[in-house]
């Protein structure tokens, strides 16, 4: 049986639903998987709710191929639970905070290890 998690899913203007969704597949070589601890609601999320789609792609995104229903919440913190085979600067257990428009910050309990 597939594992699920709760997510706030944008379906359309004024239609956001908290749903059970599948836990993502293990990360690809250049990706990490993060267990979210805290997630904020950004002003852009509010605009997507009130008047979207604005940034949510309505045609396949050129990088991801994603369009349509979207899990909101791009400002969050959490813990790295898996890393891809090519990832060298982030480790399982690292604590992260993320803001998708700039970069990510990694904090280790024992810096420099
Ligand atoms: Zn934001």
């Amino acid at each position: 049986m597939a594992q699920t998690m709760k997510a706030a899913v944008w379906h359309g203007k004024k239609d956001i639903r908290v749903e059970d969704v599948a836990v993502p597949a293990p990360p690809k070589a250049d990706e990490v998987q993060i267990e979210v601890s805290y997630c904020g609601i950004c002003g852009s999320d509010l605009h997507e709710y009130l008047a979207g789609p604005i940034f949510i792609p309505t045609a396949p995104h050129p990088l991801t191929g994603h369009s349509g229903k979207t899990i909101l919440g791009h400002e969050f913190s959490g813990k790295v639970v898996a890393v891809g085979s090519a990832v060298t600067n982030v480790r399982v257990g690292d604590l992260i905070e993320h803001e998708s428009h700039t970069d990510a910050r990694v904090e280790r309990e024992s810096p420099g290890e």
Side-chain angles (χ1 to χ4, degrees), residues 23-98:
V23 171
K28 296 176 185 169
D30 62 346
E31 297 177 341
V32 301
Q33 188 170 37
I34 298 162
E35 181 179 292
V36 174
S37 301
Y38 298 95
C39 181
I41 298 172
C42 178
S44 63
D45 296 328
L46 298 177
H47 289 292
E48 293 292 356
Y49 173 75
L50 292 172
I54 299 169
F55 298 109
I56 291 174
T58 56
H61 187 277
L63 293 177
T64 66
H66 176 79
S67 66
K69 290 190 335 182
T70 298
I71 297 174
L72 299 178
H74 57 272
E75 296 173 2
F76 57 89
S77 65
K79 182 164 67 175
V80 175
V81 294
V83 297
S85 60
V87 174
T88 59
N89 59 344
V90 178
R91 298 184 300 226
V92 170
D94 283 351
L95 303 177
I96 65 98
E97 65 86 15
H98 178 265

